[in-house]
Amino acid sequence: MISLEADEKECHLIIPRDVVNERRLETFVQRLREESAAQDAILAGRPSRSLSEIAASNEMTAADADRFAASLTSGWWARNQKRFLPEEKPGA
């Protein structure tokens, strides 16, 4: 069972080893570190991450990106096609 203990200064997350593999745990911890660094940057008035840093951490494959782009395009078209196509008249 995963548990969380917290006091005024710290949080302790307890995760049994049989619940998560090492790679997923490392990914989780890295994201927490990135979130912490981003919060520190925001509080200091700096951009949290550059575009190149965001791109470097991207795990999306080209096929994933193509599917995502297609879903965005089809959704946009479904919402906006009436703006570009003439209205069909009954019996025409």
Side-chain angles (χ1 to χ4, degrees):
M1 180 169 97
I2 297 173
S3 62
L4 176 66
E5 299 171 3
D7 60 29
E8 297 81 30
K9 293 183 179 184
E10 296 178 327
C11 294
H12 298 267
L13 183 61
I14 301 165
I15 306 171
R17 288 203 172 266
D18 62 343
V19 171
V20 66
N21 69 38
E22 196 73 23
R23 184 177 185 286
R24 291 193 67 173
L25 183 59
E26 288 173 8
T27 300
F28 175 71
V29 170
Q30 182 59 33
R31 288 185 179 165
L32 288 175
R33 288 181 179 133
E34 290 171 1
E35 182 65 26
S36 177
Q39 185 65 26
D40 290 346
I42 289 167
L43 292 174
R46 302 185 317 266
S48 59
R49 293 194 316 168
S50 69
L51 185 56
S52 61
E53 289 171 319
I54 293 168
S57 66
N58 177 29
E59 295 177 9
M60 184 180 280
T61 66
D64 291 338
D66 289 341
R67 280 191 295 278
F68 181 61
S71 72
L72 291 176
T73 302
S74 66
W76 182 91
W77 182 247
R79 291 186 307 275
N80 292 285
Q81 64 182 337
K82 290 180 182 177
R83 294 173 46 203
F84 298 97
L85 297 177
E87 190 175 322
E88 290 186 22
K89 297 182 182 175

